[in-house]
């Protein structure tokens, strides 16, 4: 009997969420989605395939109004911080890896590479097939958080004492501005 392949974290989560929905007599895949499609908050790139379906489902289930997602590293580049206790959502990134050169290409880059070879005729079909054997489609995983629901937007105060939520920071600025205007 063939060995069962283990599902990736993304696919496992997607399957588990759909099973839960079925157990509750809900069919989430036949519903009209109310939120915007999920996309990366920093690059603005829309998520695709399993990632899109999973994030869209999570947005709807948790009533997230914001469709922006990002990794911890991306969040920190904007001074956004994951709230304590929040759980990330695992996603997959597919790419082609060259076993000989140890270099990788996105799927789009790989298809353009092959298309260009075919167009300019630099390799015959047999040589192209040999070249293709050097590449393997592989994936890696990464974790994302919803920007609005799972993160705090904090700023560092000039006196160096503490971090505060952005909303508190802007409220403080408004109060200072009001006091300054009152003394003019």
């Amino acid at each position: 009997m063939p060995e069962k392949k283990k599902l990736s974290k993304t696919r496992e989560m997607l399957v588990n969420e759909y099973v839960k929905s079925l157990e509750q007599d809900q069919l989430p895949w036949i519903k009209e989605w109310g939120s915007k499609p999920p996309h990366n908050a920093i690059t603005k790139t829309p998520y695709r395939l399993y990632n899109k379906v999973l994030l869209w489902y999570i947005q709807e289930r948790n009533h997230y109004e914001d469709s922006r997602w990002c990794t911890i590293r991306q969040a920190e580049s904007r001074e956004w911080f994951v709230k304590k206790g929040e759980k990330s959502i695992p996603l997959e990134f597919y790419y082609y890896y060259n076993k000989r050169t140890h270099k990788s290409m996105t799927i789009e880059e790989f298809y353009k590479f092959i298309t260009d070879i075919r167009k300019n005729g630099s390799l015959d079909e047999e040589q192209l097939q040999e070249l293709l054997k050097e590449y393997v489609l592989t994936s890696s995983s990464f974790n994302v958080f919803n920007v609005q629901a799972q993160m705090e937007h904090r700023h560092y105060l000039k006196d160096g004492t503490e971090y505060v939520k952005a909303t508190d920071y802007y409220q403080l600025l408004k109060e200072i501005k009001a006091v300054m205007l009152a003394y003019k």
Side-chain angles (χ1 to χ4, degrees):
M1 181 169 205
E3 184 180 323
K4 272 188 160 180
K5 282 189 175 183
K6 187 177 178 193
L7 291 176
S8 69
K9 287 181 182 179
T10 304
R11 293 177 193 205
E12 185 177 333
M13 186 174 201
L14 186 60
V15 168
N16 290 340
E17 291 299 325
Y18 278 127
V19 168
K20 281 184 211 172
S21 293
L22 287 171
E23 289 171 349
Q24 297 169 1
D25 288 331
Q26 295 175 354
L27 299 176
W29 54 85
I30 339 180
K31 106 184 239 185
E32 289 190 34
W33 302 101
S35 60
K36 293 178 183 172
H39 63 278
N40 184 280
I42 308 303
T43 66
K44 310 289 189 254
T45 305
Y47 290 104
R48 302 182 318 185
L49 305 170
Y50 298 107
N51 296 338
K52 180 180 182 177
V53 173
L54 178 60
L55 291 178
W56 218 338
Y57 175 78
I58 298 294
Q59 280 174 211
E60 288 293 316
R61 183 196 69 194
N62 295 342
H63 307 289
Y64 292 165
E65 294 176 16
D66 195 333
S67 59
R68 297 174 302 151
W69 298 80
C70 65
T71 65
I72 287 178
R73 184 172 287 156
Q74 289 174 323
E76 288 174 350
S77 74
R78 298 289 171 97
E79 294 185 9
W80 301 338
F81 301 87
V82 175
K83 293 176 185 175
K84 187 174 182 176
E86 290 293 337
K87 302 280 189 242
S88 64
I89 305 300
L91 299 183
E92 299 173 330
F93 175 73
Y94 284 89
Y95 58 94
Y96 279 94
Y97 179 76
N98 186 306
K99 297 178 283 190
R100 186 178 55 78
T101 64
H102 305 288
K103 293 185 179 178
S104 59
M105 287 188 221
T106 66
I107 291 174
E108 292 81 8
E109 291 169 339
F110 180 76
Y111 285 129
K112 183 182 179 333
F113 171 67
I114 298 304
T115 301
D116 290 348
I117 289 173
R118 284 196 166 119
K119 278 184 184 175
N120 69 28
S122 58
L123 299 176
D124 63 30
E125 197 57 36
E126 188 177 314
Q127 292 170 320
L128 179 59
Q129 291 307 315
E130 283 303 309
L131 176 67
L132 291 176
K133 288 179 185 177
E134 294 178 11
Y135 289 89
V136 61
L137 181 62
T138 190
S139 70
S140 61
S141 62
F142 60 100
N143 296 306
V144 296
F145 294 87
N146 184 273
V147 171
Q148 180 187 30
Q150 297 181 292
M151 295 187 181
E152 295 177 328
H153 308 262
R154 297 182 276 178
H155 293 274
Y156 194 66
L157 296 177
K158 280 195 175 187
D159 67 3
T161 56
E162 62 183 293
Y163 283 99
V164 295
K165 287 184 183 177
T167 52
D168 296 342
Y169 175 79
Y170 291 118
Q171 182 60 38
L172 180 62
L173 287 179
K174 282 181 187 177
E175 291 170 13
I176 291 170
K177 198 179 267 185
V179 169
M180 290 176 65
L181 288 173
Y183 283 107
K184 280 190 178 184

